[in-house]
Amino acid sequence: EAEVAQSPRYKITEKSQAVAFWCDPISGHATLYWYRQILGQGPELLVQFQDESVVDDSQLPKDRFSAERLKGVDSTLKIQPAELGDSAMYLCASNRDRGSADTQYFGPGTRLTVL
Amino acid sequence: GNSVTQMEGPVTLSEEAFLTINCTYTATGYPSLFWYVQYPGEGLQLLLKATKADDKGSNKGFEATYRKETTSFHLEKGSVQVSDSAVYFCASAPSGTYKYIFGTGTRLKVLA
């Protein structure tokens, strides 16, 4: 069964450093999402791509966060500089289209700890 | 605005007990509704979903019915197992949007 791949699974960094996370969605899935999940809470959407285009980044802290999906396949989420409050699980998800009834498939996540 | 409210956990049950995790939503129109499960150290896995009123989603012994009149989508299982121990998230996707809105999650612990 196809899965969403993410790496690294764990990342520990010091504040003010740069970090990057990678996601490879299920083959053929045009839509890709990045979520942030703070411990004890549900995931919150950071950014959504349709192919290579950003369609929603309204919740992305653009002063320090950036995301790209250059060829419309895999994607990178970057934080620079990292802050203590960025410690969280970063989840990637994908689905075939943007319809609300279409299931989103999640990767295993990257757990970020900022010291 | 759109929101999802779940019962707070943790919920601790003995094996073979009956499970109910409450979920209510607020939304304009008729959202699609989902239950996801998250095992320790893993991402979210879809457990079941319903896309219109009175639909019942079911999977692995879990069920949830889309109740428009009470704006609810409660998760139930007749006999839980230790392996069901996880965090369960209710989510809605308001009609006409792609955005999932997640509840805060309910941790379930099943004791042997």
Side-chain angles (χ1 to χ4, degrees), chain B:
Chain B
N2 300 313
S3 66
V4 172
T5 303
Q6 285 182 240
M7 64 186 288
E8 288 198 17
V11 173
T12 303
L13 297 173
S14 298
E15 207 165 25
E16 300 184 2
F18 184 85
L19 168 71
T20 300
I21 300 178
N22 290 338
C23 171
T24 57
Y25 66 91
T26 59
T28 52
Y30 303 104
S32 296
L33 301 172
F34 305 83
W35 276 102
Y36 278 82
V37 58
Q38 187 175 35
Y39 297 101
E42 298 185 12
L44 277 69
Q45 301 174 25
L46 178 69
L47 185 58
L48 51 84
K49 72 178 188 182
T51 58
K52 60 183 186 295
D54 300 324
D55 267 2
K56 177 185 282 188
S58 61
N59 185 27
K60 299 180 182 179
F62 291 89
E63 292 184 340
T65 301
Y66 190 140
R67 301 285 188 201
K68 172 172 160 288
E69 62 277 10
T70 55
T71 62
S72 65
F73 193 55
H74 304 323
L75 182 68
E76 296 181 337
K77 187 175 185 183
S79 176
V80 294
Q81 305 300 311
V82 172
S83 57
D84 294 327
S85 297
V87 181
Y88 292 81
F89 290 94
C90 183
S92 78
S95 57
T97 80
Y98 50 84
K99 280 188 172 182
Y100 278 28
I101 298 167
F102 285 90
T104 54
T106 302
R107 181 176 298 278
L108 170 65
K109 185 173 182 180
V110 181
L111 305 176

